[in-house]
Amino acid sequence: MKLNEEEQDILAGKQGPVPKKALEHQIKVGDFFGAVDFVPVTQAHIMADTESLGEAGVQWLEGLAAEKAGRRRVRIPTITDPRGTDFAKAAFLRHTKAMLTLEERAIAAFVRLGVLMTNTCINYQTVQPATRNEHVAYGDTGVVIYSNSVCGARSNFEGGPSALSAGITGRTPRYGFHLPQQRLATLHVRVEDTPATLNEWGALGGVIGRIAGNYWAVPVIEGIEGAPGSDALKHFGAAMASFGSIALFHLVGLTPEASRLADVAPDVKSLPSQRVSRADFTALQQSYHSTDEVDVVVFSAPQLSLLELRDIAALCDGRNFKKPLIAITSPQIKPDSDHMGFTQTIEDAGGQVLSGMCFYQSYAREMADAHGWKRLATNSAKLVNILGGYGYQPMLGSMEACVEAAATGRLV
């Protein structure tokens, strides 16, 4: 890779051992992907839940944070994805002392490195959305696809060490979705019916993700009526990334790079073409409904916006749940939910409002074993796609149906 003068100094250790290690890692990533040089980035977002990090990963973070010589703190705003627990609800979650101690150690290391503990996968709704053509280094797949597609920013999926390295060096290898040519459509999709609910938006994203099927695919989509809201596009993109590893989509006339089809598909007739009907995304939903019995209801993945919490609270008002209901939001939104009474309404019905974590990144298998949970209902297509690997029998339904399931024990 071509290095400018500052990068050569970093590699020579003139800013200290931590930036040197970070740049060495980034050069290996850049070489692997054929990057010619680096591109400056303005924000970084780190996925580093302790279930994934384990003892070795936390020790690695602690080693960086303990370094005394030279620069070791991040040089651009660097934030975190959801953590492995909500300490205020750890007893309900049945997280063990070992889990909590590992989490505390990771947090302490991040703080020493200057990382902002935002603990959110919806930073585009809560912290600071990236802007069109802004180069960033984001980790969470839902964050990347939303930021690339809806905001028009430029990021690849950055692994945890790569995102932290970008925060420390202020740059990332210039490859993939940082390049204009990589952002052109590779697949033309016509949607015959516009989803009406968040679970339908997620199911449609899942169908398109399966069709596209690989990280470098870029679907351009026509046929969506109206202007979908942020929560709809959040579920749509998160599911597309989950089912197909997609990092960028275009909605003609809606997303910023695709005012016209020709903007992203100058030769659309040469692209593979697919049609998606309501029957297609209904079938995906029905494939995640093999039983009516429910053990737990979870609203998570992505974290909930304030408007989602408002809607859940309205459905919970006056109810008395037979089954646990868990609603997970970000630390930025939780205080507003508390202030507006949404949290109290949900918890008065027997639910739990959690903050700063994500269900599947928070020892989901251990929670299932501790509580006897297996049959899980949610309105998140992303979550049902993931949880089968954790021993759950996940079911996809509307928000209304999921709240009703908490009250009756059955998803209909």
Side-chain angles (χ1 to χ4, degrees):
M1 293 180 68
K2 296 178 182 177
L3 305 183
N4 64 24
E5 185 175 343
E6 182 183 11
E7 290 154 2
Q8 291 174 18
D9 286 347
I10 293 173
L11 191 61
K14 293 183 180 181
Q15 293 189 16
V18 173
K20 182 177 187 296
K21 290 177 183 177
L23 194 71
E24 287 173 343
H25 171 80
Q26 291 182 298
I27 289 172
K28 291 177 182 177
V29 173
D31 285 343
F32 180 85
F33 285 106
V36 174
D37 60 0
F38 286 97
V39 58
V41 291
T42 53
Q43 302 180 46
H45 176 256
I46 305 170
M47 285 189 70
D49 56 283
T50 46
E51 183 177 9
S52 299
L53 282 172
E55 176 65 30
V58 172
Q59 286 186 14
W60 176 76
L61 281 176
E62 290 173 329
L64 295 177
E67 182 59 57
K68 301 296 184 184
R71 174 194 291 271
R72 61 170 168 80
R73 294 173 65 85
V74 296
R75 62 193 296 178
I76 59 173
T78 303
I79 65 175
T80 53
D81 208 37
R83 305 305 314 149
T85 193
D86 177 343
F87 286 100
K89 300 284 188 174
F92 164 74
L93 297 168
R94 301 191 186 176
H95 286 165
T96 66
K97 183 178 180 180
M99 295 172 185
L100 300 179
T101 299
L102 196 65
E103 185 65 36
E104 289 169 343
R105 288 169 53 198
I107 291 169
F110 276 130
V111 170
R112 290 197 297 273
L113 290 165
V115 173
L116 301 172
M117 303 306 298
T118 55
N119 305 343
T120 184
C121 61
I122 54 169
N123 53 300
Y124 48 84
Q125 290 184 320
T126 60
V127 182
Q128 179 169 275
T131 58
R132 185 172 182 180
N133 294 327
E134 183 178 3
H135 292 272
V136 294
Y138 285 168
D140 182 272
T141 57
V143 169
V144 170
I145 194 170
Y146 190 103
S147 300
N148 274 339
S149 308
V150 181
C151 301
R154 301 190 172 205
S155 182
N156 294 306
F157 291 160
E158 297 272 8
S162 295
L164 179 56
S165 295
I168 291 168
T169 67
R171 65 208 70 218
T172 198
R174 192 194 306 266
Y175 73 93
F177 296 103
H178 292 285
L179 304 173
Q181 63 269 26
Q182 197 70 54
R183 302 177 70 86
L184 294 175
T186 64
L187 170 69
H188 181 221
V189 177
R190 177 163 290 279
V191 175
E192 296 178 350
D193 202 342
T194 300
T197 58
L198 297 181
N199 56 299
E200 290 184 350
W201 276 104
L204 176 60
V207 169
I208 295 173
R210 281 177 170 172
I211 291 169
N214 76 85
Y215 176 60
W216 299 115
V218 180
V220 58
I221 301 154
E222 291 190 286
I224 296 296
E225 296 180 357
S230 178
D231 286 327
L233 293 176
K234 175 176 73 175
H235 280 265
F236 180 62
M240 197 184 304
S242 179
F243 280 83
S245 297
I246 308 303
L248 170 64
F249 64 84
H250 301 292
L251 296 176
V252 176
L254 293 171
T255 52
E257 294 175 69
S259 295
R260 302 167 303 160
L261 179 61
D263 293 338
V264 294
D267 186 16
V268 69
K269 292 182 180 180
S270 68
L271 298 181
S273 182
Q274 292 278 347
R275 301 184 79 87
V276 177
S277 68
R278 173 166 288 274
D280 294 320
F281 60 82
T282 298
L284 185 143
Q285 293 184 89
Q286 291 174 342
S287 72
Y288 289 99
H289 200 154
S290 57
T291 180
D292 292 340
E293 299 295 326
V294 170
D295 298 320
V296 62
V297 173
V298 176
F299 294 103
S300 176
Q303 290 172 333
L304 302 177
S305 71
L306 186 64
L307 299 186
E308 288 175 285
L309 283 166
R310 178 203 62 182
D311 293 345
I312 292 170
L315 294 168
C316 292
D317 194 16
R319 308 302 290 269
N320 185 16
F321 294 148
K322 293 180 178 178
K323 300 294 181 179
L325 180 147
I326 300 169
I328 302 178
T329 189
S330 75
Q332 298 78 38
I333 288 171
K334 176 65 161 49
D336 282 339
S337 179
D338 295 345
H339 174 70
M340 295 178 187
F342 304 153
T343 301
Q344 190 67 52
T345 299
I346 294 168
E347 296 194 340
D348 282 348
Q352 297 281 343
V353 179
L354 278 60
S355 171
M357 56 172 275
C358 176
F359 189 81
Y360 74 88
Q361 292 178 324
S362 302
Y363 303 94
R365 184 180 296 276
E366 289 81 355
M367 284 194 290
D369 292 342
H371 289 271
W373 294 337
K374 185 173 181 65
R375 298 162 299 189
L376 181 148
T378 181
N379 73 335
S380 166
K382 174 179 180 176
L383 192 59
V384 296
N385 187 48
I386 292 169
L387 280 182
Y390 289 85
Y392 288 84
Q393 188 174 344
M395 295 173 278
L396 181 61
S398 68
M399 181 183 290
E400 292 81 0
C402 288
V403 172
E404 186 69 19
T408 66
R410 297 178 66 86
L411 183 71
V412 295

